[in-house]
Amino acid sequence: MSGGSRNQIMARKVVLITGVTRGLGRAMVDEIARHGETVLGCGRSEKGIRQLRQQVGPPHDFTAVDVAADGEVKAWASRLLGIYGPPDIILNNAGVINRNARLWEISEQEFSQVIDVNLKGVANVIRHFVPAMVARRRGVIVNFSSGWGRSADAEVAPYCATKWAVEGLTLALAKELPSGMAAVALNPGVINTDMLRSCFGGSASGYLTPEEWAKSAVPFLLKLGVGDNGRQLTAPDGSD
Ligand SMILES: NC(=O)c1ccc[n+]([C@@H]2O[C@H](COP(=O)([O-])OP(=O)(O)OC[C@H]3O[C@@H](n4cnc5c(N)ncnc54)[C@H](OP(=O)(O)O)[C@@H]3O)[C@@H](O)[C@H]2O)c1
């Protein structure tokens, strides 16, 4: 290996992404890998993770993990930190939305599922990865929020509740981090994914594909730094 290529490998950023099997997470994997960074990703679907391993090989690393299960996140973090060290960037992207329904029509089970993934899942990832980043006093944490983390609509109350909570959790976290680190909340915009089709139906097809979105969102995410700590950001939509 030449000195140049060794330095390039050494300079790779390690980017941890949750929810890589579909949607924005899947598109970010390809775009971040194309930028020469190393992606460590998870999703619940074993099949999706197997496909990713075939499509995007080493040094990228994909594992079936449910972010709502604290023990699974703990084991995942322990393995990854041992191999790759602390991530440079965490993209807390994994999320679910309730089926369109008024709040009083939503079962306790479905309500809990949305809270467990969108809010407690973010906290689980922070609990197990961020101490190693704090010890090094370096790294950026991006918590995926939503337009519905800053406004609200009918029939998505559980989802809105979690995304407003993610905004608050992120602002508080930003005050706890040492200098050298940053935490931001990100509204990714409106993108045609399974999640958007669930809440928008057929009109979802009028929006950007995840691949189109990732082309402008990924360079924006990779440039985030200390000066962004505590910001409530919106991803560029390609026209910016
Ligand atoms: N699309 C939009 O317009 C839009 C707008 C605002 C905000 N967002 C936010 O952007 C993020 C990505 O959304 P998306 O549209 O890409 O959604 P999506 O197409 O439904 O994909 C969600 C991803 O999260 C994973 N996931 C769900 N629950 C998980 C869990 N418990 N553990 C690990 N992975 C899990 C899913 O994979 P598995 O099923 O394999 O677990 C999938 O890879 C979400 O946080 C969402 O709230 C999206």
Side-chain angles (χ1 to χ4, degrees):
M1 184 190 291
S2 73
S5 55
R6 195 188 347 264
N7 287 342
Q8 274 166 5
I9 289 171
M10 300 279 289
R12 276 175 178 273
K13 280 185 180 161
V14 173
V15 183
L16 184 94
I17 316 181
T18 63
V20 289
T21 54
R22 291 179 283 119
L24 306 188
R26 180 65 190 84
M28 286 192 287
V29 168
D30 284 343
E31 201 57 33
I32 292 172
R34 214 176 55 73
H35 275 77
E37 318 298 2
T38 298
V39 182
L40 313 179
C42 83
R44 289 166 306 180
S45 160
E46 299 269 0
K47 186 175 166 213
I49 292 296
R50 267 199 310 277
Q51 280 171 351
L52 257 171
R53 286 181 185 147
Q54 284 163 3
Q55 292 162 353
V56 191
H60 313 289
D61 184 313
F62 304 104
T63 314
V65 174
D66 179 348
V67 296
D70 186 63
E72 287 185 32
V73 178
K74 184 178 181 184
W76 184 46
S78 161
R79 184 177 73 78
L80 293 187
L81 292 171
I83 300 172
Y84 304 94
D88 296 289
I89 306 175
I90 294 180
L91 302 176
N92 264 318
N93 162 78
V96 294
I97 196 162
N98 58 282
R99 280 170 295 117
N100 288 1
R102 291 172 292 189
L103 180 56
W104 58 88
E105 296 162 343
I106 292 167
S107 69
E108 191 273 337
Q109 192 187 21
E110 184 171 8
F111 192 89
S112 293
Q113 167 74 354
V114 179
I115 303 279
D116 285 351
V117 177
N118 293 7
L119 181 55
K120 292 168 76 176
V122 169
N124 292 342
V125 170
I126 289 167
R127 181 175 307 113
H128 296 298
F129 284 96
V130 168
M133 297 164 77
V134 167
R136 199 170 63 165
R137 302 175 84 84
R138 200 170 86 214
V140 175
I141 301 141
V142 181
N143 294 329
F144 277 57
S145 175
S146 173
W148 285 334
R150 299 166 194 173
S151 67
D153 267 309
E155 302 200 334
V156 285
Y159 180 83
C160 283
T162 61
K163 295 300 186 177
W164 280 74
V166 162
E167 297 272 345
L169 175 150
T170 306
L171 290 176
L173 173 66
K175 293 180 187 294
E176 297 168 351
L177 294 173
S179 62
M181 292 186 66
V184 304
L186 180 82
N187 167 13
V190 185
I191 309 97
N192 182 13
T193 63
D194 290 347
M195 181 180 287
L196 196 72
R197 288 185 283 277
S198 161
C199 51
F200 274 28
S203 65
S205 62
Y207 292 88
L208 287 183
T209 65
E211 294 74 23
E212 289 166 336
W213 172 85
K215 279 201 169 49
S216 51
V218 161
F220 171 83
L221 292 170
L222 293 177
K223 277 196 212 118
L224 294 175
V226 179
D228 296 302
N229 191 34
R231 292 182 70 195
Q232 295 168 287
L233 299 170
T234 299
D237 65 6
S239 60
D240 298 12

